[in-house]
């Protein structure tokens, strides 16, 4: 905060929010997310403080540093933000970790974005982790832009990839570009909105922004011949079957704009940025727990969507990442934590991307701030300034897929073990399931990705001095049991088991689909429902 600086008017806050585009890339490992992130940054000027664009970008290996750190520590340590300026727009790209493993953190990031870019490998199409992340986008109603990557390599047919979107996830593709030349022989794209061809020229390794040449349809036909004609025909075919661009359908998430490109050669990346600027939703007022909206120009408010605790004992720190929902954030502010009612001083606030950290002096709706030494903050907490008080809904818990019984190796540490487990539960490191049958001394850890177990055991040992033995359980299917009276039905069947999660939900666990199927046949009245996410 500049002490003598003018105070920001409400008009400025709404204006600043309107410049923000806050999104995440959802993809399967190897589809090219790191490459795309670098390519996006290449087009942009990296911001050194929120809102202010500085000429000399410091983007030296941001992504690789970050992966290096993940590797060194053997876990996905953080979800962080890359913020950069593109023209007059401030882009906030939130990372969804998920290289080595998948965890709830990945999903929680999607609570903090306004849109997502679904990145597909042209040779592979929809892959398992993309599908899981897409489910969360759909659940939250997040609009998705699809970028079909690696078109410079042999891959599937463009129409085939588009059909897959319709058939497997019921998402109408609305191609805004169409590739000229089959995968592996990429000449450029047909720009569906102008009818022109954009030809891409290769640069060495895509290291610089690839030159683009626009040409009208006649010239494209002359120069590209059958490739151009095929592109036009295919695109028209798709446009005629519901693929005409419709902004409302993008916003209501029933259809997705599709772009073709190559992150590695930097083809189509600028188009993606332009699309984000033009079409992607900007921050909108967020609804609080009562369903009332906190207007953008209300005093500062934010919610914590991720807490990262340093895994290294020597450098133990805890950073809480919060998405700003309203007002202007100024470093040094003392805000209130709505969960505890306690004040929280924001002296140390940073932007964190990989190992690069820079101090944040101010931030606006759509931005992400990293609150350092935030041991008092938990995932889902609301922070606010001034009046009225506000509390946003907590973040959903996701369907776990891995289960393990936890017990302290040394029984004399049972008290510390219990304390540690409570701490992990409150931070959302793993979900904790309990039942009377198992008793309090041996809770069940439940996780979306197995690496969450490693984080949990490491922390119990490092911070609570309790070595932990984990016994993996054979369950892989989980359903929510909506009728508590049926608990015994499952428990006594020996085909499954019911455990209670901290939020009160009863989770019925089964070894596999067959076990669930048998239970259903024996007891057609069984009241279980799938749980992608539950609040
Ligand atoms: P991530 O796991 O999703 O972050 O994927 P990376 O960005 O690390 O990319 C995985 C591999 O695909 C790397 O070897 C990249 O060089 C390669 N790759 C990424 N984008 C492209 C592309 O557009 N074309 C080609 N041919 N290779 C690509």
């Amino acid at each position: 905060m500049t002490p003598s600086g003018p105070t920001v008017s409400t008009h400025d806050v709404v204006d600043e929010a309107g410049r923000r585009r806050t999104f995440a890339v959802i993809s399967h490992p190897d589809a090219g997310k790191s490459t795309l992130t670098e390519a996006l940054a290449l087009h942009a000027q990296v911001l050194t403080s929120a809102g202010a664009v500085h000429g000399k970008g410091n983007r030296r290996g941001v992504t690789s540093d970050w992966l290096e750190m993940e590797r060194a520590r053997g876990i996905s340590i953080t979800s962080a933000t890359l913020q950069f300026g593109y023209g007059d727009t401030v882009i906030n790209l939130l990372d969804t970790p998920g290289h080595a493993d998948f965890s709830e953190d990945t999903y929680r990031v999607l609570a903090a974005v306004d849109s997502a870019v679904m990145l597909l490998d042209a040779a592979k199409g929809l892959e398992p982790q993309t599908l899981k992340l897409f489910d969360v986008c759909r659940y939250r109603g997040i609009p998705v832009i699809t970028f079909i990557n690696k078109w410079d390599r042999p891959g599937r047919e463009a129409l085939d990839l588009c059909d897959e979107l319709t058939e497997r996830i019921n998402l109408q593709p609305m191609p805004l570009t169409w590739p000229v030349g089959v995968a592996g022989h990429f000449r450029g794209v047909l720009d569906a909105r102008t009818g022109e061809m954009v030809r891409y020229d290769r640069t060495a390794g895509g290291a610089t922004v690839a030159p683009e040449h626009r040409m009208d349809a006649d010239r494209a036909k002359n120069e590209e011949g059958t490739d151009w004609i095929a592109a036009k025909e295919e695109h028209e075919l798709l446009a005629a079957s519901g693929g005409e661009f419709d902004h409302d359908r993008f916003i209501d998430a029933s259809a997705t704009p599709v772009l073709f490109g190559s992150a590695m050669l930097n083809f189509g990346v600028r188009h993606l940025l332009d699309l984000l600027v033009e079409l992607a939703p900007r921050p909108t007022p967020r609804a609080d727990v009562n369903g009332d909206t906190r207007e953008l120009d209300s005093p500062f408010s934010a919610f914590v969507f991720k807490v990262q605790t340093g895994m290294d004992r020597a450098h133990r720190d805890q950073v809480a990442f919060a998405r700003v929902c309203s007002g202007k954030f100024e470093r040094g502010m003392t805000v209130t934590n709505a969960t505890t009612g306690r004040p929280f001083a924001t002296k140390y606030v940073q932007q964190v991307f990989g190992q690069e950290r820079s101090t944040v002096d101010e931030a606006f709706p759509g931005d992400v701030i990293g609150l350092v030494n935030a041991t008092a903050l938990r995932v889902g907490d609301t922070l606010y300034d001034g009046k009225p008080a506000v509390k946003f809904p907590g973040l959903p818990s996701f369907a776990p897929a891995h289960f393990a019984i936890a017990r302290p190796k040394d029984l004399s540490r049972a008290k510390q073990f219990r304390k540690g487990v409570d701490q992990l539960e409150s931070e959302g490191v793993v979900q904790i399931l309990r039942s009377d049958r198992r008793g309090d001394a041996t809770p069940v850890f439940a996780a979306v990705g197995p690496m969450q177990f490693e984080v949990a055991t490491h922390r119990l040992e490092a911070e609570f001095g309790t070595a932990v033995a984990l016994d993996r359980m054979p369950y892989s299917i989980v359903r929510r049991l909506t009728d508590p009276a049926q608990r015994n039905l499952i428990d006594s069947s020996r085909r499954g088991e019911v455990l209670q999660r901290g939020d009160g939900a009863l989770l019925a666990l089964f070894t596999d689909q067959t076990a669930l199927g048998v239970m259903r046949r024996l007891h057609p009245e069984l009241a279980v429902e799938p749980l992608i996410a539950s609040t």
Side-chain angles (χ1 to χ4, degrees):
M1 178 165 71
T2 29
S4 57
T7 44
V8 166
S9 70
T10 54
H11 176 70
D12 289 340
V13 170
V14 174
D15 267 8
E16 288 289 346
R19 293 169 60 204
R20 263 64 183 175
R21 299 293 180 277
T22 302
F23 73 103
V25 176
I26 61 171
S27 65
H28 193 82
D30 269 352
K33 190 176 64 171
S34 314
T35 312
L36 180 69
T37 304
E38 298 269 1
L40 287 167
L42 193 68
H43 283 268
Q45 296 161 291
V46 172
L47 304 188
T48 53
S49 71
V53 180
H54 292 257
K56 57 173 175 38
N58 181 9
R59 58 175 172 263
R60 162 184 46 85
V62 267
T63 7
S64 43
D65 281 356
W66 167 29
L67 291 177
E68 187 88 322
M69 192 150 68
E70 283 190 344
R71 263 184 225 119
R73 289 184 177 180
I75 50 152
S76 294
I77 50 156
T78 177
S79 305
T81 328
L82 179 64
Q83 186 180 57
F84 54 83
Y86 180 66
D88 196 37
T89 304
V90 177
I91 308 263
N92 291 309
L93 169 53
L94 274 61
D95 181 46
T96 49
H99 271 262
D101 183 41
F102 227 51
S103 75
E104 292 187 79
D105 286 345
T106 315
Y107 291 136
R108 289 184 191 132
V109 169
L110 296 174
V113 301
D114 300 313
S115 61
V117 169
M118 179 159 74
L119 182 69
L120 304 181
D121 181 325
K124 298 188 176 148
L126 290 169
E127 295 180 85
Q129 290 197 8
T130 330
L131 288 169
K132 283 201 213 172
L133 286 162
F134 177 76
D135 274 349
V136 179
C137 290
R138 170 154 284 168
Y139 170 77
R140 305 195 71 92
I142 299 169
V144 172
I145 295 173
T146 302
F147 188 91
I148 300 187
N149 190 31
K150 306 196 186 181
W151 204 256
D152 58 299
R153 280 208 316 213
R156 289 163 54 181
E157 303 239 337
L159 276 176
D160 181 33
L161 288 159
C162 285
D163 285 348
E164 193 182 13
L165 296 179
T166 325
E167 283 158 18
R168 286 187 68 188
I169 56 175
N170 192 23
L171 185 67
Q172 171 68 51
M174 304 183 293
L176 291 179
T177 63
W178 197 263
V180 179
V182 293
H185 184 71
F186 193 24
R187 307 282 301 152
V189 292
L190 160 70
D191 181 337
R193 291 196 287 185
T194 63
E196 293 170 314
M197 171 162 171
V198 183
R199 192 159 71 201
Y200 299 127
D201 290 322
R202 285 181 184 241
T203 57
T208 55
V209 175
E212 300 177 357
H213 299 289
R214 281 190 171 264
M215 58 180 81
D216 64 22
D218 287 341
R219 199 174 136 204
K221 195 172 157 190
N222 275 340
E223 294 190 11
E224 306 300 335
T226 49
D227 279 349
W228 172 256
I229 294 166
K232 262 190 92 75
E233 281 175 4
E234 286 178 7
H235 177 257
E236 276 161 18
L237 200 66
L238 207 95
S241 56
E244 210 59 87
F245 181 70
D246 177 342
H247 190 248
D248 291 344
R249 293 198 66 191
F250 164 54
I251 297 298
D252 75 19
S254 64
T256 179
V258 178
L259 297 177
F260 292 83
S262 162
M264 196 177 76
L265 298 178
N266 225 305
F267 291 175
V269 175
R270 192 215 305 253
H271 210 126
L272 176 62
L273 275 169
D274 290 340
L275 213 61
L276 283 162
V277 171
E278 187 192 334
L279 301 178
R282 44 218 73 189
T284 50
R286 194 171 183 92
D288 67 13
V289 281
N290 303 317
D292 299 327
T293 46
R294 176 88 165 182
E295 294 305 324
L296 295 172
D297 57 3
S298 303
F300 167 78
S301 69
F303 69 92
V304 177
F305 62 92
K306 152 105 192 143
V307 173
Q308 176 211 332
T309 303
M311 296 298 295
D312 182 346
R313 225 212 259 247
H315 306 100
R316 223 175 103 185
D317 63 350
Q318 181 158 311
V319 184
F321 294 94
R323 145 126 189 183
V324 181
C325 299
S326 67
K328 180 186 180 186
F329 172 79
E330 287 172 301
R331 188 162 65 88
M333 268 178 153
T334 298
V335 297
T336 305
N337 178 350
T339 311
T340 59
R342 296 228 175 94
F344 182 85
T346 62
K347 196 164 158 202
Y348 301 104
V349 178
Q350 298 181 325
Q351 259 191 315
V352 186
F353 190 78
Q355 285 168 330
E356 312 273 340
R357 292 190 177 199
S358 56
T359 303
V360 167
D361 287 321
E362 55 178 48
F364 293 95
D367 291 340
V368 170
I369 52 179
L371 300 149
V372 183
N373 292 333
T375 43
L377 297 182
R378 300 280 169 268
V379 165
D381 281 353
T382 299
L383 299 172
Y384 67 90
D385 178 38
K387 288 203 169 80
V390 62
K391 191 169 183 187
F392 296 113
L395 296 191
S397 296
F398 293 92
H402 304 270
F403 306 89
I405 304 163
R407 61 169 65 85
K409 282 186 180 159
D410 175 357
L411 280 176
S412 72
R413 307 287 301 168
K415 210 170 120 198
Q416 288 82 352
F417 172 76
R418 216 182 324 248
K419 216 172 130 207
V421 169
D422 287 347
Q423 173 72 20
L424 298 184
E425 181 173 28
S426 72
E427 286 180 35
V429 175
V430 282
Q431 296 178 27
I432 307 293
L433 312 183
R434 298 184 172 89
S435 70
D436 289 343
R437 277 203 331 184
R438 293 195 175 273
D440 238 13
T442 52
V444 169
F445 287 5
V448 167
M451 211 167 286
Q452 286 174 253
F453 290 154
E454 277 175 51
V455 176
T457 50
H458 182 102
R459 288 195 50 192
L460 284 171
E461 195 162 342
E463 292 169 34
F464 297 88
T466 319
V468 181
L470 282 188
D471 287 327
R472 293 295 289 266
M473 299 165 92
Y475 303 123
S476 65
I477 302 286
V478 58
R479 292 286 182 274
R480 178 198 285 272
L481 179 67
T482 53
D483 179 2
Q486 292 181 346
R487 193 170 176 157
N488 199 37
L489 207 66
I490 298 171
D491 281 342
S492 62
S493 73
R494 299 184 177 275
R495 289 196 172 79
E497 168 172 1
V498 179
L499 290 149
Q500 186 157 33
R501 191 166 63 186
D503 62 0
L506 286 178
L507 305 191
L509 315 185
F510 301 94
T511 41
D512 49 31
Q513 283 292 353
T514 316
L516 173 60
V518 171
M519 274 305 286
R520 278 213 161 109
R521 264 196 301 283
L522 291 173
H523 304 284
E525 75 281 15
L526 198 66
V528 292
E529 58 185 35
L531 107 178
I532 288 182
S534 54
T535 39

